[in-house]
Amino acid sequence: MAIDPSTTAVVLIEYQNDFTSPGGALHDAVAEVMSATDMLEKTKRVVAAARDAGVTVMHAPITFAAGYNEISRHPYGILKGVVDGQAFVKDTWGAAIVDDLEPQPGDIVIEGKRGLDTFASTNLDFILRSKGISTIVLGGFLTNCCVESTMRSGYENGYQVITLNDCAAATSVPEHENALAYDYPMFSKPMSAEQFLGELA
C-alpha cells in the first residue's frame, strides 16, 4: 500500500481527557492498555511526522450536551457507560482533546460525532472526498469500538484503511488483542506506528 501524503489523512478518534488523562471519567478503564502500547507517545510521533510530510491531520472527538438529549432516553451498551460516567460533556475538561495532541493550524476537527462510527453522524466522508483523500490512518479509542466501527465503514466506503495497532486502546488487553488479531486484518492494513513512519519516510 503506497502512502501518498497528499491523499492521506490521519484520523485521531477520541483522544480526549475522559479517556487519555488521569482523572478522566473513563481513563481507569483504558489505562492498562494505554500503558502497554505507549499509545500517546507513539501517536505524538505519528502526528508530528504526518504534519511534516503534508498529511492531513483530523481529530474526531465525541461530545454531548449536558443531559445527553442527542441520544436515547434509555441508552444501553457502550453509550450507557458514557452516560453513567457523565463522560464527554461538551465544553468540559473531560471532553477536550488532550493537550499533547491539541489541534494545530491546518488540522481539521470533525464535528458532530455522537456515536461509534465516525462516518455515521459527521461530515467526515464529505471532507475526505472533497480533499481528494483516499487513504485514512486510524488510531484512538476504543480499539474494538469506535476505531473498529470507523475502520469498517472506511473499508466499505472504498478508502484504503491503515490501522495503527499501538496507537489504540480498549478496556482490557484481551479485547484489544482480539480486535487486532481477528478483525483489523479483515478491514484494514494493520501497522505499528514505527512501520507507518517507515512507510511515510
Side-chain angles (χ1 to χ4, degrees):
M1 182 183 292
I3 298 176
D4 177 352
S6 69
T7 59
T8 300
V10 171
V11 182
L12 305 173
I13 299 172
E14 296 177 15
Y15 282 84
Q16 294 160 266
N17 287 318
D18 273 334
F19 272 140
T20 60
S21 306
L26 303 175
H27 176 68
D28 288 349
V30 297
E32 180 185 12
V33 180
M34 286 185 67
S35 177
T37 60
D38 196 23
M39 67 172 294
L40 278 183
E41 287 303 315
K42 289 177 179 175
T43 302
K44 285 165 59 179
R45 294 204 300 270
V46 165
V47 170
R51 288 193 184 113
D52 287 345
V55 170
T56 298
V57 175
M58 295 182 163
H59 305 263
I62 187 170
T63 58
F64 301 94
Y68 299 95
N69 290 328
E70 302 97 331
I71 58 177
S72 167
R73 287 180 293 175
H74 304 287
Y76 64 96
I78 189 70
L79 288 178
K80 184 177 189 303
V82 169
V83 174
D84 289 349
Q86 293 293 292
F88 307 120
V89 176
K90 188 176 181 181
D91 297 325
T92 65
W93 171 83
I97 294 170
V98 64
D99 287 346
D100 283 346
L101 292 168
E102 182 180 9
Q104 300 297 308
D107 291 1
I108 297 170
V109 178
I110 300 298
E111 299 178 355
K113 189 174 189 298
R114 300 288 186 269
L116 313 183
D117 173 11
T118 308
F119 284 95
S121 61
T122 75
N123 60 354
L124 174 62
D125 187 64
F126 173 81
I127 292 174
L128 293 172
R129 294 190 190 283
S130 68
K131 291 180 66 65
I133 290 169
S134 55
T135 299
I136 56 174
V137 183
L138 306 179
F141 301 88
L142 297 166
T143 313
N144 58 337
C145 187
C146 293
V147 179
E148 179 164 333
S149 296
T150 304
M151 168 191 73
R152 288 171 179 255
S153 284
Y155 183 86
E156 294 278 15
N157 287 334
Y159 293 96
Q160 294 190 96
V161 183
I162 295 171
T163 44
L164 300 176
N165 289 344
D166 48 4
C167 293
T171 56
S172 72
V173 171
E175 289 173 295
H176 175 76
E177 292 183 344
N178 183 78
L180 298 185
Y182 297 107
D183 297 340
Y184 279 37
M186 295 178 66
F187 307 105
S188 73
K189 177 74 177 290
M191 294 185 186
S192 68
E194 288 305 315
Q195 286 175 310
F196 173 71
L197 292 173
E199 295 283 341
L200 192 59

